Amino acid sequence: MIAGDARPVAPPTDAVLTDEGLTATGAANPAGRVLVIGCGALAREILALIRANGMAHVDLTCLPAILHNRPERIAPALEAAILGQGAGYDSIFVAYADCGSGGEIAKVCARHGAEMIEGPHCYSFFEGNARFAETGEVTSFYLTDFLTRQFDAFVIKPLGLDRHPQLRDLYFGNYEKLVYLAQTDDPALDARAEAAANRLGLAYERRFTGFGDLAAAMAGLPGR
Amino acid sequence: MADDDEEIILADLDDEELVLQMQDDLYDGMKEEIEEGTRILLERGWAPYKVLTEALVSGMKVVGDDFRDGILFVPEVLLAAGAMKGGMAILKPLLAETGAPTIGRIVIGTVKGDIHDIGQNLVTMMMEGAGFEVKNIGINNPVEAYIEALEEFDADFLGMSALLTTTMPYMKVVIDTLVAEGKRDKYIVLVGGAPLNEEFGRAIGADAYCRDAAVAVETAKEFMHRKHNRMAAG
């Protein structure tokens, strides 16, 4: 929980974004404001775009990023957030793509008149949906900045590879390479992503994407 | 887990104790112990099919139930499956020699665009354990590969698996092609995978959605039972 302003100045730690998300305290009067409800894995990027675009009328709430691993739980959590924290806002934007929900996120958005990000998942919209559709390889395993930082929490621990490293090839034997879709130029993250590839026994490729289609989606939010 | 001082000597256990111990070892994913226990029971004159059903399949049933109930998770199920695979590798050639009963024939594979085969490999193992003959055609299968395998293998069932919401619609492509070619009624189509549900299975025209490997086995058995009843009646 972020106390103070409706818009947190800085995001909480990655661990908090993973397990708890981010709760904007809400403006005293949400009328005339926009609420973005997104994945905790996108919190840093969304806050950066809010700042870069001078969107003082936009607040951000994030669901726990670890829902990435249980996509069937995203839509119900999203609907609860829309009905709860979204009450009174002029407009709600959902910073999720389909994200493995099988269309359930889109149904929630349709029920509540909210827009969402186009595309199958964040790997796709970070690279750009059109480009990803052309280049997305079936045998590639993708990481973003956030997922690189939280590789243990999202990959190693849930798959039991910390306790049972011998299972690695059962999970990843059909993959060929790990593709790090980089939102920022950070040599330390590059090194961590490459180490992750080595740990999974995969070839490594880094692609700088910046914020991809997320930037355009955020830029298209209603103005004041 | 017992320490060295308390190590259980499998060969010292009587048959009943050994089977129970093997079920525990299977639950704990202890492959070497399962292989040893399998050999001991065979040496004691147990029929391969009896070892399979009473020691291994019954043990995996507990694993499957606890997975369904949220007590065990994927890593533990994979370890248990690996242990069972060790026992199966010993039993499989013997089962072929002794003419163990075959319930039905299944072609199974992951759909085009999807390389996730953990689920279908579990189903393959459980189906084989239950007496089905399985042709596992692996990952990333186009419709042509399914149809060719179904015909070559003279299958009763088609099993399709997908982990991704982006690939699961391809199951409908396969079913629609079977319909278009007048082959749909020859096969019972079972579908499974994490993002699927019963509604999706119905919507694409599958005969059944199977939530997990144990359900797949029970569903397949039920369909074969109905098929035999229809044939007997007809």
Side-chain angles (χ1 to χ4, degrees):
Chain A
M1 182 93 174
I2 303 298
D5 290 346
R7 287 180 298 114
V9 175
T13 64
D14 288 328
V16 170
L17 288 171
T18 292
D19 295 325
E20 299 171 33
L22 182 159
T23 306
T25 52
N29 179 10
R33 300 182 66 79
V34 175
L35 180 66
V36 175
I37 304 176
C39 171
L42 303 175
R44 288 171 190 275
E45 290 76 13
I46 293 170
L47 288 172
L49 287 164
I50 288 173
R51 279 194 298 272
N53 292 329
M55 295 173 153
H57 64 297
V58 176
D59 299 328
L60 173 65
T61 281
C62 288
L63 304 181
I66 198 64
L67 292 177
H68 169 92
N69 286 9
R70 299 299 301 267
E72 77 280 7
R73 296 184 181 177
I74 297 174
L78 172 64
E79 187 147 41
I82 290 174
L83 293 171
Q85 294 158 63
Y89 277 90
D90 262 19
S91 172
I92 291 174
F93 180 75
V94 172
Y96 276 95
D98 183 60
C99 298
S101 74
E104 292 302 312
I105 291 175
K107 286 181 193 170
V108 170
C109 289
R111 273 202 292 277
H112 297 282
E115 296 291 321
M116 64 183 282
I117 305 176
E118 283 189 22
H121 36 60
C122 63
Y123 316 127
S124 176
F125 67 67
F126 272 139
E127 186 158 35
N129 284 321
R131 183 173 157 77
F132 190 88
E134 288 171 19
T135 62
E137 302 93 352
V138 172
T139 54
S140 291
F141 182 76
Y142 294 93
L143 291 181
T144 61
D145 280 10
F146 184 87
L147 292 175
T148 299
R149 290 193 302 269
Q150 288 288 287
F151 181 67
D152 279 0
F154 279 76
V155 179
I156 297 297
K157 286 179 184 165
L159 296 182
L161 292 173
D162 49 342
R163 292 164 284 133
H164 311 294
Q166 73 272 29
L167 294 177
R168 182 190 76 173
D169 292 346
L170 275 177
Y171 292 122
F172 293 98
N174 293 329
Y175 285 99
E176 292 174 355
K177 68 179 168 185
L178 183 151
V179 178
Y180 165 39
L181 301 171
Q183 283 69 67
T184 54
D185 271 320
D186 183 339
L189 270 186
D190 187 15
R192 285 173 72 169
E194 186 162 14
N198 290 335
R199 188 163 183 188
L200 299 183
L202 302 176
Y204 176 64
E205 179 183 338
R206 177 185 184 274
R207 284 183 209 155
F208 180 78
T209 66
F211 294 167
D213 291 351
L214 177 63
M218 289 292 295
L221 291 183
R224 247 189 212 286
Chain B
M1 190 172 159
D3 63 28
D4 286 348
D5 292 339
E6 299 166 351
E7 192 173 339
I8 295 165
I9 309 297
L10 295 181
D12 290 348
L13 303 177
D14 65 29
D15 286 5
E16 191 179 339
E17 290 169 335
L18 178 55
V19 166
L20 290 174
Q21 184 60 44
M22 285 176 69
Q23 291 175 359
D24 280 353
D25 289 345
L26 194 72
Y27 194 91
D28 292 334
M30 299 167 76
K31 185 178 179 184
E32 287 176 14
E33 285 77 2
I34 290 298
E35 290 168 340
E36 184 187 348
T38 299
R39 289 195 189 94
I40 292 170
L41 288 174
L42 290 170
E43 284 162 11
R44 291 181 186 176
W46 278 47
Y49 186 69
K50 185 175 159 79
V51 180
L52 175 68
T53 52
E54 293 187 19
L56 301 186
V57 171
S58 56
M60 275 307 279
K61 172 81 169 57
V62 179
V63 171
D65 288 350
D66 280 3
F67 176 64
R68 179 197 61 207
D69 295 341
I71 297 166
L72 283 183
F73 298 95
V74 169
E76 289 74 30
V77 172
L78 289 178
L79 290 171
M84 178 160 171
K85 204 172 172 184
M88 287 281 283
I90 297 167
L91 294 173
K92 220 171 171 181
L94 303 173
L95 289 165
E97 281 173 20
T98 52
T102 294
I103 300 179
R105 299 167 69 80
I106 303 172
V107 165
I108 188 167
T110 304
V111 297
K112 186 176 176 181
D114 205 317
I115 62 168
H116 302 91
D117 59 358
I118 286 174
Q120 74 169 42
N121 290 340
L122 281 172
V123 172
T124 295
M125 195 178 64
M126 292 292 282
M127 287 283 190
E128 286 178 344
F132 288 89
E133 283 190 47
V134 185
K135 185 179 179 69
N136 185 331
I137 59 173
I139 58 172
N140 197 17
N141 286 289
V143 58
E144 297 82 10
Y146 281 114
I147 291 176
E148 186 182 339
L150 286 168
E151 291 177 346
E152 271 182 20
F153 195 59
D154 190 23
D156 303 297
F157 293 88
L158 166 61
M160 289 190 284
S161 171
L163 182 73
L164 306 175
T165 51
T166 48
T167 57
M168 66 188 206
Y170 194 77
M171 293 177 176
K172 186 170 189 308
V173 173
V174 177
I175 292 172
D176 287 350
T177 306
L178 285 171
V179 171
E181 295 185 5
K183 297 170 183 169
R184 174 65 183 87
D185 292 341
K186 290 171 69 177
Y187 308 108
I188 298 156
V189 179
L190 307 179
V191 296
L196 279 67
N197 54 35
E198 285 196 29
E199 183 187 355
F200 177 80
R202 275 195 301 273
I204 64 169
D207 290 296
Y209 154 74
C210 304
R211 187 184 62 229
D212 57 36
V215 169
V217 169
E218 292 310 313
T219 305
K221 280 182 179 173
E222 175 64 24
F223 272 105
M224 285 312 287
H225 184 64
R226 282 191 226 162
K227 189 173 178 178
H228 289 151
N229 284 350
R230 276 201 307 273
M231 286 165 73

